[in-house]
Amino acid sequence: HLEVPAFTAAIEAHQKRITDAILNHALQICAEKKANVKTQVVIGDPKEKICEVIENVHADLLVMGSRAFGPIKRMFLGSVSTYCANHAQCAVMIVKNKEASSKS
C-alpha cells in the first residue's frame, strides 16, 4: 500500500469540484421550485450515511432515486434504496426513472 500525497490531493480536489457542481445544480432546481432544502456532504458507505444523516436531522421524508439494478447486480452490490427503505427512521419515497420502470 503506497500513497502518493499529491495524487491523493488531486483526486480529492477533483471530487470536491464535482460534488460542488452537483450540489449547486440541485440547489438551483430547488430554488426555482421554492423548496426549502439543506445540503450536507458526508463520506462513507452511502446506505449507512444516508440513514445516519436522516436520523441526525430528524427528517420526515427521504426521497431518493433508484438505479434499477437487475437481480444479479442487486444481489452482489446491494441496493441503497432498498436498504434505506428498510432502515431509515422516516418515510421513504423511491422514484424510478421512466426507462428503469419500463424494463422491470
Side-chain angles (χ1 to χ4, degrees), residues 6-26:
F7 186 67
T8 302
I11 291 172
E12 289 173 354
H14 182 66
Q15 288 175 329
K16 183 175 180 348
R17 285 191 301 272
I18 292 169
T19 300
D20 289 345
I22 291 168
L23 283 176
N24 287 335
H25 183 69

Side-chain angles (χ1 to χ4, degrees), residues 22-48:
I22 291 168
L23 283 176
N24 287 335
H25 183 69
L27 287 170
Q28 180 182 359
I29 292 169
C30 292
E32 290 168 4
K33 304 292 182 184
K34 297 184 182 1
N36 182 17
V37 297
K38 177 181 176 183
T39 62
Q40 186 175 18
V41 176
V42 294
I43 298 170
D45 182 8
K47 59 188 176 211
E48 292 175 3

Side-chain angles (χ1 to χ4, degrees), residues 6-92:
F7 186 67
T8 302
I11 291 172
E12 289 173 354
H14 182 66
Q15 288 175 329
K16 183 175 180 348
R17 285 191 301 272
I18 292 169
T19 300
D20 289 345
I22 291 168
L23 283 176
N24 287 335
H25 183 69
L27 287 170
Q28 180 182 359
I29 292 169
C30 292
E32 290 168 4
K33 304 292 182 184
K34 297 184 182 1
N36 182 17
V37 297
K38 177 181 176 183
T39 62
Q40 186 175 18
V41 176
V42 294
I43 298 170
D45 182 8
K47 59 188 176 211
E48 292 175 3
K49 290 298 178 180
I50 290 169
C51 290
E52 187 179 296
V53 169
I54 292 168
E55 192 171 335
N56 291 342
V57 301
H58 308 288
D60 296 320
L61 175 66
L62 168 64
V63 179
M64 60 190 319
S66 172
R67 291 178 49 183
F69 283 148
I72 303 298
K73 264 190 181 177
R74 190 174 357 195
M75 181 173 65
F76 287 105
L77 298 176
S79 166
V80 173
S81 56
T82 300
Y83 181 91
C84 291
N86 290 314
H87 293 88
Q89 299 297 310
C90 68
V92 178

